[in-house]
Amino acid sequence: MKPDHNHFMDRAMALAQEAMDEGNRPAGCVIVKDGRVVGEGRNLVYTAYDPSAHGEMVAIRNVAASLKTVELSGCTLYTTMEPCPMCCWTIIDCGISTLVLGGRHASMKRKGLGAYSVEAMLAMTERSLDLVTGVRQKECEEMRRNWKGWEAWQQRQK
């Protein structure tokens, strides 16, 4: 049975909205295994005073603790925004099988990441990951642009 990417991205977007409502960057993630949600996370950087509390990291920590393993093969991670290099490496290193993306840095014209993309990270590290792009992309990018800190954050990324 084909996974319902829109269904799981809807939940990730709801988590991103929660993060934004709390004063964090709008990023939400859902991790699915065998068709069911096994964990989720949202960006908590500003409210937790933790620069590593990106949505993907929070979700992976929650799932690893819940399943009592750091090996997450067979899992699919849905995220509203393309993961940064830190998060991308963690996704690769813990063995997540599939990454489903909403927004992309290149189309957002994000400054500060140079030529980075998930595809570039995979090529550089000679690792593999099933990648699904374009799921609710426009909506996810619009949410990021509507974040009240977007302009200031963009300026700091130069």
Side-chain angles (χ1 to χ4, degrees), residues 9-10 14 37 43 66-67 86-87 93 97-98 118 125 147 157:
M9 190 61 77
D10 279 346
V37 174
N43 187 292
S66 172
L67 299 178
M86 171 186 70
C87 295
D93 197 48
S97 302
T98 304
V118 170
T125 60
W147 170 52
Q157 299 300 309

Side-chain angles (χ1 to χ4, degrees), residues 56 60 71-79 82-85 87-101 104 116-123 125-133:
E56 298 90 347
I60 290 168
E71 171 55 45
L72 301 181
S73 63
C75 290
T76 297
L77 188 145
Y78 291 81
T79 184
E82 182 173 14
C84 73
C87 295
C88 189
W89 178 250
T90 303
I91 289 165
I92 293 165
D93 197 48
C94 73
I96 286 175
S97 302
T98 304
L99 175 60
V100 180
L101 301 180
R104 300 294 306 259
Y116 168 78
S117 68
V118 170
E119 293 90 342
M121 176 72 91
L122 293 170
T125 60
E126 298 181 351
R127 302 288 286 267
S128 64
L129 174 67
D130 289 333
L131 186 60
V132 178
T133 62

